[in-house]
Amino acid sequence: QKVENLWEGIGLGSGSLGDKEGMLMLFQYQTGTNVNLFVSTGDWQTPNLRRWGLTIVNASAFWDVWEGSIYIGSDFPPDVLRPDTPYYLMIGLNENGNITMKVWEKDNPNNHADFQKKMPSTWMGLPWASLLQLYEGTVQVDEYLEFSFEKP
C-alpha cells in the first residue's frame, strides 16, 4: 500500500491485539525515511493514549513510548539501524505486564536493541492496534505476524 500524506497511518494485521500478545514484522527503510512503527490505543494528545514502538526520524531512532501527552520513551542505541538493511521488530505486552520491544538485523542477530518497561495496570485490558505511520520516505514490510506470549 502506498502512503502519500504526511504521517498517514496504515493499520497492520487484525487491528486488535490484547494482553500477552504482540506483533513481529520484517521491515527495511530507505535513507531519508521518517516513520513510526508502533502499537497504540486511544487518540493522540488525549489522556487515554497509550503507545509504544520504534520511531526513525532524520536518520535517528528512538523507543517512542507515550502515556497520554507524557513521553516516557528513551534513546535508541546508535549504530544498530542502517537504511536498506532488513530488520525484525517485535513489540508486545508480555505476561508480566511489561511492554517489550526488540529490533534485530535479519542477517546479523547479534546487532540488536531491546527495551522493556513495567507498566501500570491501566495498560492492561485495552484493545491495541499495530500501525505504520509514514511522514516521508519508503518503508518496506516483508513479513507481519501476531502472536501470544502464553504457552499453549
Side-chain angles (χ1 to χ4, degrees):
Q1 184 173 4
K2 186 174 182 180
V3 178
E4 296 178 354
N5 296 328
L6 302 182
W7 291 123
E8 181 179 350
I10 297 173
L12 302 171
S14 69
S16 181
L17 295 173
D19 296 346
K20 304 177 188 175
E21 294 180 337
M23 65 86 149
L24 176 69
M25 73 167 61
L26 176 62
F27 77 98
Q28 64 182 355
Y29 66 96
Q30 292 180 353
T31 300
T33 296
N34 292 340
V35 64
N36 296 322
L37 305 164
F38 61 96
V39 174
S40 181
T41 192
D43 297 316
W44 181 248
Q45 296 184 334
T46 66
N48 65 339
L49 175 72
R50 305 289 181 269
R51 167 176 151 165
W52 77 98
L54 174 67
T55 293
I56 303 167
V57 174
N58 299 324
S60 296
F62 53 96
W63 298 118
D64 193 16
V65 184
W66 292 85
E67 185 167 16
S69 61
I70 301 169
Y71 175 75
I72 54 175
S74 70
D75 293 335
F76 192 87
D79 303 322
V80 172
L81 293 177
R82 294 180 313 280
D84 303 310
T85 304
Y87 294 93
Y88 283 103
L89 169 63
M90 187 275 299
I91 301 175
L93 184 62
N94 71 19
E95 65 276 3
N96 299 319
N98 295 325
I99 59 171
T100 184
M101 298 182 279
K102 182 171 183 160
V103 173
W104 66 97
E105 189 176 333
K106 178 184 177 189
D107 297 324
N108 180 13
N110 290 328
N111 180 27
H112 66 88
D114 303 90
F115 179 93
Q116 194 166 124
K117 184 176 182 88
K118 177 73 174 163
M119 301 311 292
S121 61
T122 56
W123 283 61
M124 301 298 283
L126 299 172
W128 301 96
S130 297
L131 298 165
L132 181 155
Q133 195 177 46
L134 186 66
Y135 181 76
E136 64 183 340
T138 301
V139 175
Q140 179 178 325
V141 176
D142 291 317
E143 297 175 23
Y144 177 90
L145 66 89
E146 296 172 353
F147 63 90
S148 173
F149 284 101
E150 293 186 305
K151 296 177 183 169

